Amino acid sequence: MYRKILLPTDGSKNADKEIETALNIIDKENGELILLSVASNIITLQLSNEDDISNLNNLLSKNAEENVAKMKEKINANVKISTKVVTGSPAKSIIEVAKEENVDLIVIASSGKSGLDKLFLGSVAENVVKNAKNDVLLIHKL
């Protein structure tokens, strides 16, 4: 049984499978789930309006807050739950939070969002698996 599990979410439907798996392997009496969403920070371009960039970054942060809140609502179990939202590169941020929080396990879906996000960002799960010092449990997409 794992005592501290990190569940990163991007708001995709694969989060349900992550929750189910994590609840099956967590220490029910002493366990803690840390729900994490990463808000990507928009890079400022010289042609960009600073206010527009700031508004977009705020929108991304709000979306990340909503992701962890929705995930928390889906958990119907008597375990300690904490939420965390950070800004940065998704894979790098997941790895950093896992280290900072000293988690036993990262449970991550093999594929979250797709389309242009996936083309530009690469595979977050793949980067986490390759670079995390923590154990990683990869959940195949639905």
Side-chain angles (χ1 to χ4, degrees):
M1 293 287 163
Y2 293 92
R3 294 187 87 185
K4 206 171 200 184
I5 298 176
L6 180 63
L7 288 175
T9 183
D10 62 3
S12 68
K13 65 182 179 180
N14 290 319
D16 291 345
K17 200 166 182 185
E18 291 174 10
I19 293 167
E20 180 183 332
T21 300
L23 290 176
N24 284 330
I25 59 177
I26 195 164
D27 180 338
K28 301 283 192 265
E29 293 180 23
N30 301 305
E32 177 183 5
L33 292 177
I34 301 171
L35 313 180
L36 171 68
S37 189
V38 180
S40 296
N41 211 356
I42 298 301
I43 300 170
T44 58
L45 303 174
Q46 289 206 348
L47 300 176
S48 301
N49 179 316
E50 233 179 271
D51 289 337
D52 290 341
I53 296 295
S54 178
N55 289 338
L56 189 51
N57 283 334
N58 289 337
L59 182 64
L60 292 171
S61 292
K62 183 179 178 186
N63 185 51
E65 292 282 350
E66 290 171 1
N67 288 343
V68 292
K70 287 177 188 175
M71 184 181 239
K72 187 174 182 178
E73 287 175 4
K74 293 178 181 182
I75 300 173
N76 188 15
N78 192 24
V79 295
K80 181 179 177 186
I81 300 171
S82 58
T83 61
K84 192 169 194 107
V85 172
V86 296
T87 301
S89 162
K92 184 177 179 184
S93 297
I94 291 167
I95 292 166
E96 287 172 358
V97 169
K99 183 178 178 182
E100 289 167 8
E101 295 288 340
N102 195 28
V103 301
D104 300 315
L105 180 69
I106 302 168
V107 177
I108 189 169
S110 62
S111 178
K113 294 184 178 180
S114 58
L116 289 177
D117 282 344
K118 191 171 183 180
L119 285 174
F120 288 120
L121 299 176
S123 173
V124 172
E126 181 180 353
N127 285 324
V128 170
V129 168
K130 285 182 179 179
N131 298 303
K133 301 298 183 218
N134 310 74
D135 288 342
V136 179
L137 177 57
L138 187 63
I139 306 296
H140 287 285
K141 67 180 184 174
L142 302 172

